[in-house]
Structure formats: structure tokens, C-alpha cells
Amino acid sequence: QKEVEQDPGPLSVPEGAIVSLNCTYSNSAFQYFMWYRQYSRKGPELLMYTYSSGNKEDGRFTAQVDKSSKYISLFIRDSQPSDSATYLCAMSVSDNNDMRFGAGTRLTVKP
Amino acid sequence: NAGVTQTPKFQVLKTGQSMTLQCAQDMNHEYMSWYRQDPGMGLRLIHYSVGAGITDQGEVPNGYNVSRSTTEDFPLRLLSAAPSQTSVYFCASSHRKRGTYEQYFGPGTRLTVT
């Protein structure tokens, strides 16, 4: 079983929809949770970072962490065609570089 | 700032050949990492470095060597290429920000081993 599981999609939504992206994990020691966005043929870029449980909001993006369920989510409000990309979740035990990534969910937002 | 640069962008190798993937960053970051990305597997950490002269193994280090003689450069060496090493390789540099490490990724090197 992989340490981090992520539904690969693809996920297709109309412009303006609310998008929910999710990851589950098995290692209860994970404390640092991140979401990356990766456009086609580019390197990933950090979108959101959360420590331990709780919510974090940044513009149209909200990250949620539920450590009791070992489940994290990224919500995108008022989705735009420019949000079309692959979204990767990542997590680590301590605040170092040893991160574990999900396989990524490919999202398409149609105009 | 160029950020993180990687060369080459594409490479085809024959089984058994060796080569070095180059990575450089101009942000004076202490931390650098190498990942491989395969379909359905996500990014997997190969090796990382917490500073010049210090390297450590990640999740999938076998078949790869690294060294870090300067802050700027972190080359990845494939000793004897195998078809299983066909992948997209990303180099990243990072610094501490808001309690964690914010990583900046390069554009990637697409490697095919035949």
C-alpha cells in the first residue's frame, strides 16, 4: 500500500464550479501537508502548505487537514480554465525535505 | 534570477551507459533534492542535500549518485542506465519559509533508456 493515495482522475468541471481534490495517507506521523500545482511539461509549484490539522484559505483555494481520518483536501472556488493542471498532494513527518507525494489528480476546467 | 535550471531537457541513453544530469540554482538555497516522476507513481525522492558537502538518500536511491561541492550545483549521476530509469527527473531547491521548506522545481529532464 502506498503511503499517500490520490485519485488520479481525470476530473473535468465547468468554469465557475467548486472543485474538491483529496488525498488519504497511512502514516499517522505526517504533520506537514502541501499541495502543488503542475502544468503540463513543467515542474510543480507550491500552492498551499498546512501544519497539522485545520483549514487554511488563500484566495480561491482552501486546504483542509483531518488527521483523525488521515485525509486532506484542496478546494478551488470559482474554478477557471487557468486552473487546469495536475494537482499533487505532499506530506512529511518533520520539517525537512523528505516528502511523500501523491500520484496527482489531473483537472480540466472547461470554459 | 534564473531559479532552478536543469540540463539537458531531453536525453536518450542505451542500457549500460552513464551520464550526469545537471542542476543549478541561483537563490542561495541550502537544500536541494532530486525526484523522479513516473505515471501513477507521483514524485519520488532520489537523493537530497542539506548543504554543500552533505548528501543523503531518499526513497529510491539505487542506481544514482550525487555530490554537492558548491551551494549552487547538485548533479545526479546515473552509473549504468537501465530501462527502469526511464522517467522525468526534477531537481528542486528549497528554503525555510513559514515553518516548512518551500520547494522550487526545475523544468525537468525527460530521460529514455533503451
Side-chain angles (χ1 to χ4, degrees):
Chain A
Q1 183 190 4
K2 292 180 191 175
E3 275 190 292
V4 181
E5 299 277 0
Q6 185 174 7
D7 186 342
L11 183 61
S12 181
V13 301
E15 184 174 354
I18 296 174
V19 176
S20 171
L21 303 165
N22 311 296
C23 289
T24 59
Y25 61 93
S26 57
N27 187 348
S28 58
F30 286 139
Q31 295 193 83
Y32 298 84
F33 303 92
M34 286 134 288
W35 285 95
Y36 285 81
R37 177 175 60 197
Q38 185 177 22
Y39 291 114
S40 181
R41 297 191 171 258
K42 300 287 186 187
E45 54 180 335
L46 181 66
L47 260 184
M48 302 280 290
Y49 145 71
T50 311
Y51 171 70
S52 194
S53 284
N55 293 0
K56 188 171 187 177
E57 190 173 317
D58 184 1
R60 296 184 295 111
F61 298 89
T62 300
Q64 286 186 352
V65 175
D66 181 351
K67 289 189 71 179
S68 62
S69 303
K70 299 195 187 71
Y71 188 88
I72 70 170
S73 300
L74 178 71
F75 296 96
I76 307 174
R77 290 185 299 281
D78 187 25
S79 56
Q80 304 294 311
S82 58
D83 295 328
S84 298
T86 296
Y87 290 80
L88 303 156
C89 62
M91 44 200 80
S92 62
V93 171
S94 58
D95 59 344
N96 62 17
N97 277 323
D98 193 1
M99 293 182 192
R100 296 291 183 261
F101 281 79
T105 299
R106 182 179 292 182
L107 170 69
T108 300
V109 181
K110 295 185 176 179
Chain B
N1 281 356
V4 179
T5 58
Q6 291 183 239
T7 56
K9 285 188 170 51
F10 302 93
Q11 183 71 49
V12 179
L13 289 179
K14 289 189 165 73
T15 296
Q17 287 184 318
S18 63
M19 80 159 293
T20 299
L21 307 186
Q22 301 292 343
C23 175
Q25 54 100 359
D26 62 0
M27 297 174 282
N28 203 32
H29 290 167
E30 288 185 352
Y31 298 83
M32 297 186 74
S33 308
W34 274 103
Y35 293 87
R36 58 178 290 172
Q37 186 173 36
D38 303 291
M41 300 293 292
L43 285 158
R44 290 183 291 169
L45 183 65
I46 303 171
H47 286 285
Y48 64 99
S49 168
V50 299
I54 306 169
T55 64
D56 207 345
Q57 297 181 349
E59 195 181 351
V60 288
N62 292 344
Y64 307 94
N65 271 0
V66 292
S67 60
R68 184 99 179 269
S69 56
T70 66
T71 300
E72 294 78 21
D73 300 299
F74 191 41
L76 177 73
R77 278 182 288 279
L78 279 70
L79 308 172
S80 177
S84 61
Q85 293 177 306
T86 293
S87 188
V88 182
Y89 291 85
F90 288 101
C91 177
S93 74
S94 56
H95 67 143
R96 283 191 76 92
K97 185 175 180 180
R98 296 174 292 177
T100 189
Y101 287 100
E102 183 164 331
Q103 292 202 93
Y104 296 82
F105 284 83
T109 293
R110 293 179 178 274
L111 176 68
T112 302
V113 183
T114 61

